Amino acid sequence: MLLTLSTTRLVHQMNRTITIAEYDRIYANDTFQGIKITKKDIQELKDFIDESNSESSSMSDYLRPIRNGVQANQYVGVLQTKSGLTIEILPKISRTHPNDEQVRELFIRMLRTAKRIDGKNFGQANLSTHKKPILELFIAMFIAEVDSILKRGLKSSYITKQSNETFLKGKLLLQQQIQHNAINKAKFYTEFDEFEVDGAENQLIKTTLSYLLGVSHDPRNQRLMREQLVYFEKVQVTFQPQIAFQKVSIKRQFHYYEQALKWAEIFLKQKSFTSFKGSSLAFALLFPMDKIFEAYIANKMKKALPHLKVETQEQRYFLFDGDDKSKSSYRLRPDIVIRSALESEQVVIVDTKWKLLKADGPSQGDLYQMYAYFTRYSHYSESLAKVILLYPKSDDYKETTFKSLDFSNNELKIGAKIEVRYVDLFSQTLEDQLQNLHANK
């Protein structure tokens, strides 16, 4: 656990929260949204980057050091310095959409499609009424899962215990009996099983509640967690969550524990899409927006086109031919491939791009990638209708179609067809937009 309970109380007293967007910068000694950014804040963030850079993944992918400050990259979520600065990083579309509350709601909706933290019991109605920072929304989602457990009942199981008793209970441990009771013959050092609620699953939930009680600044979240902790009075806090997670055993009748334990793992082990080690920050829960966007669109696409096969991250084909094992390094992996049950129907490939297009349009690299998909899938005798570069809505560049011409058998035909299309993520008609995306072949 990254914070001891005493440390969290100290952090809790220092409620300094700022909201930025992807790629925004903050500097030491600046006053940002009425909050003074100290040199210590910036130094802790830079120390965090240095520590993480020694791991297999580079923290500079998520947060980049700049002169006298740091810059956010394409990761969204929340992090907190030990000096008490909480930085909420929103999706960059917040620059074009002034309502931060709606941007938070959109982000949580998108995040729910990522299997690792599917907040299935946290309804959209709750999201619209809780005007909270992202961290408080995460905490509220965990509270909702714990509430579901309490309504269905805490898991009880046989717990193996060792104790020095005044009567023989269970199995006598001879070595401990000699060590502890060589003089006092009236006691028995025994090992026995008791049916209790103090199992690993409940210990992890209580530990997470206790931890978050010191992290949260929201009065409602704090009140609910205090109320929930009453039900865990006979459960111990674990100071070795890694070991406790290894002991977790969820059988079918206790499947309702699964989601709360996923959240506990996120908070206690920092297991989001990225897992950071080091001691310079209190915590960091950061999520890559390109993957979140891709998962969200794929999820909505499956709902919008239930009669079609919507495959994600397909790996059927290669960029090059031949039997050379090295070709496996160049496997094609489009984000979304849409097929009909009928092989004769044309295929549509969609690659999601989490970018706000400027007036100069898509990058050469993105267009080259789409052209490779079109030509290689056609090479493998797939009947391709088009490939689509799909972006969040932008007013700086119009939707367009790129075509190449194919002259064969003395006939001029359309070769590759690459469309640049948008989705309005804030629209209530997103599934209709995706239906039209496929229908307009």
Side-chain angles (χ1 to χ4, degrees), residues 195-218:
F195 196 64
E196 295 183 354
V197 295
D198 193 25
E201 298 83 7
N202 291 330
Q203 287 181 3
L204 287 166
I205 291 173
K206 180 174 182 177
T207 302
T208 308
L209 286 171
S210 301
Y211 167 62
L212 293 177
L213 189 58
V215 171
S216 174
H217 300 306
D218 183 79

Side-chain angles (χ1 to χ4, degrees), residues 6 16 26 39 67 94 103 123 145 149 154 170 192 215 225 248 253 277 284 303 338 362 367 397 399 401 408 418 436:
S6 60
R16 299 189 298 132
I26 59 173
K39 289 184 178 180
R67 183 178 176 84
S94 61
V103 174
E145 296 296 339
I149 289 173
L154 291 181
F192 54 92
V215 171
M225 285 188 285
V248 167
Q253 66 267 38
K277 298 179 180 179
K303 292 180 180 179
I338 306 169
L367 291 173
Y397 185 84
E399 292 186 332
T401 300
S408 59
I418 301 169
N436 293 334

Side-chain angles (χ1 to χ4, degrees), residues 84-146:
L85 177 67
T86 299
I87 304 174
E88 178 186 71
I89 308 174
L90 293 182
K92 56 193 170 191
I93 51 177
S94 61
R95 293 196 187 94
T96 59
H97 195 88
N99 190 319
D100 281 355
E101 183 185 341
Q102 290 182 7
V103 174
R104 287 188 192 94
E105 290 182 11
L106 172 64
F107 170 60
I108 296 296
R109 276 204 309 274
M110 295 171 73
L111 198 56
R112 290 175 64 195
T113 63
K115 294 180 181 179
R116 190 169 291 190
I117 62 168
D118 172 20
K120 60 185 177 184
N121 288 334
F122 195 74
Q124 186 57 37
N126 287 343
L127 281 176
S128 63
T129 58
H130 288 182
K131 298 179 180 180
K132 300 180 178 179
I134 288 175
L135 175 60
E136 299 296 348
L137 286 170
F138 288 166
I139 294 173
M141 292 167 83
F142 173 68
I143 291 171
E145 296 296 339
V146 176

Side-chain angles (χ1 to χ4, degrees), residues 195-397:
F195 196 64
E196 295 183 354
V197 295
D198 193 25
E201 298 83 7
N202 291 330
Q203 287 181 3
L204 287 166
I205 291 173
K206 180 174 182 177
T207 302
T208 308
L209 286 171
S210 301
Y211 167 62
L212 293 177
L213 189 58
V215 171
S216 174
H217 300 306
D218 183 79
R220 185 175 187 274
N221 280 348
Q222 291 173 342
R223 176 178 59 80
L224 291 174
M225 285 188 285
R226 288 193 185 96
E227 292 173 358
Q228 290 178 340
L229 279 168
V230 172
Y231 293 90
F232 291 86
E233 183 180 1
K234 296 182 179 180
V235 179
Q236 299 180 66
V237 168
T238 176
F239 293 97
Q240 295 180 305
Q242 299 274 11
I243 296 175
F245 278 114
Q246 295 173 8
K247 295 179 180 179
V248 167
S249 176
I250 299 296
K251 296 182 180 179
R252 183 175 299 177
Q253 66 267 38
F254 296 110
H255 67 90
Y256 55 89
Y257 265 76
E258 291 178 356
Q259 194 57 46
L261 289 173
K262 286 180 182 178
W263 273 112
E265 191 172 22
I266 288 168
F267 285 116
L268 297 183
K269 294 174 64 178
Q270 307 302 289
K271 187 177 181 182
S272 56
F273 274 92
T274 57
S275 181
F276 303 120
K277 298 179 180 179
S279 58
S280 292
L281 286 193
F283 58 81
L285 297 175
L286 300 175
F287 303 85
M289 275 310 300
D290 56 344
K291 295 186 182 297
I292 297 295
F293 182 51
E294 176 190 329
Y296 184 59
I297 293 299
N299 177 274
K300 292 294 184 181
M301 191 79 77
K302 289 175 182 178
K303 292 180 180 179
L305 306 170
H307 57 294
L308 298 174
K309 296 179 182 178
V310 179
E311 300 289 337
T312 58
Q313 294 293 313
E314 182 178 275
Q315 300 182 52
R316 287 193 184 190
Y317 305 126
F318 298 90
L319 184 58
F320 300 107
D321 296 317
D323 298 327
D324 188 350
K325 291 182 179 179
S326 65
K327 78 172 186 177
S328 62
S329 301
Y330 302 98
R331 189 186 293 271
L332 299 177
R333 191 177 298 176
D335 292 341
I336 301 169
V337 179
I338 306 169
R339 288 188 173 86
S340 168
L342 302 174
E343 293 296 328
S344 59
E345 290 287 327
Q346 288 188 308
V347 175
V348 174
I349 293 177
V350 180
D351 236 46
T352 58
K353 300 295 180 184
W354 183 250
K355 301 175 182 177
L356 291 177
L357 277 188
K358 302 299 182 184
D360 54 353
S363 69
Q364 270 194 349
D366 288 344
L367 291 173
Y368 288 161
Q369 182 184 20
M370 297 303 102
Y371 187 79
Y373 288 157
F374 196 103
T375 55
R376 292 305 291 171
Y377 268 69
S378 299
H379 174 83
Y380 285 102
S381 300
E382 295 267 17
S383 178
L384 228 65
K386 60 185 176 182
V387 294
I388 301 171
L389 278 168
L390 189 63
Y391 299 86
K393 184 180 178 182
S394 170
D395 295 327
D396 294 336
Y397 185 84

Side-chain angles (χ1 to χ4, degrees), residues 2-3 12 37-38 65 69 78 135 146 168 173 190 260 290 294 314 354 356 390 407 418:
L2 290 186
L3 288 180
H12 174 63
I37 310 298
T38 68
V78 62
L135 175 60
V146 176
L168 185 59
L173 299 177
T190 62
D290 56 344
E294 176 190 329
E314 182 178 275
W354 183 250
L356 291 177
L390 189 63
F407 187 78
I418 301 169

Side-chain angles (χ1 to χ4, degrees), residues 40-71:
K40 187 176 181 181
D41 292 327
I42 297 300
Q43 190 57 53
E44 286 179 350
L45 292 169
K46 289 187 174 182
D47 288 345
F48 183 41
I49 295 170
D50 291 339
E51 287 171 357
S52 301
N53 284 347
S54 65
E55 304 297 329
S56 57
S57 62
S58 173
M59 180 60 194
S60 59
D61 291 340
Y62 322 116
L63 202 65
R64 189 170 68 88
I66 57 177
R67 183 178 176 84
N68 202 35
V70 294
Q71 179 181 22

